[in-house]
Amino acid sequence: MVLDFCISFGLAAPVVLSVVLYQVVHRAVAQGRMGPLVASLAYGLCVAALPLAVWWGVHALAEFYIVGEGTSFLKSVLQIGLAFLMYAYLCISWALSFVAACLAAWRFTVCANRLKQEALA
């Protein structure tokens, strides 16, 4: 039960945070306060860092609730399995973040080109 919540939170949190960040950066590009290259770099770096922070917190939460305290062989096995599972989901999150960053960079460029054409017209 706790592991299901942790995994769903870990997958949903970077998505929600990247959508919010996209809206903020897109608004800055649309208003001409930020260029498309700077916006793409800033968005890409933030989106790359989001999954690491989220999954670090999810791993700590899951380890606290699932593994608990005490010393046993089972605890070590659970910690290794949990670490492997969190690493796999971190890689999935980074792959999805890369796709989101590429799509956002394309949208920032389109928005900046549209602003340039409107200024020339």
Side-chain angles (χ1 to χ4, degrees):
M1 181 77 168
V2 173
L3 186 61
D4 293 337
F5 171 74
C6 289
I7 290 173
S8 60
F9 175 77
L11 289 174
V15 171
V16 170
L17 291 172
S18 20
V19 167
V20 170
L21 182 64
Y22 172 78
Q23 294 297 328
V24 170
V25 174
H26 188 266
R27 183 172 297 151
V29 172
Q31 292 174 352
R33 292 182 290 146
M34 188 181 282
L37 181 62
V38 173
S40 300
L41 289 174
Y43 182 78
L45 288 174
C46 289
V47 168
L50 282 175
L52 186 60
V54 168
W55 283 108
W56 178 77
V58 167
H59 181 266
L61 181 70
E63 188 170 324
F64 177 74
Y65 281 109
I66 293 173
V67 178
E69 295 182 13
T71 56
S72 69
F73 177 72
L74 182 60
K75 179 181 177 183
S76 299
V77 171
L78 284 174
Q79 283 179 331
I80 291 170
L82 188 60
F84 178 74
L85 185 66
M86 293 300 144
Y87 179 74
Y89 281 115
L90 176 64
C91 291
I92 291 170
S93 294
W94 271 332
L96 294 175
S97 296
F98 178 74
V99 171
C102 290
L103 291 173
W106 173 69
R107 291 296 303 155
F108 296 151
T109 305
V110 168
C111 183
N113 288 340
R114 190 174 349 144
L115 278 176
K116 222 184 271 186
Q117 288 177 357
E118 288 175 1
L120 293 175

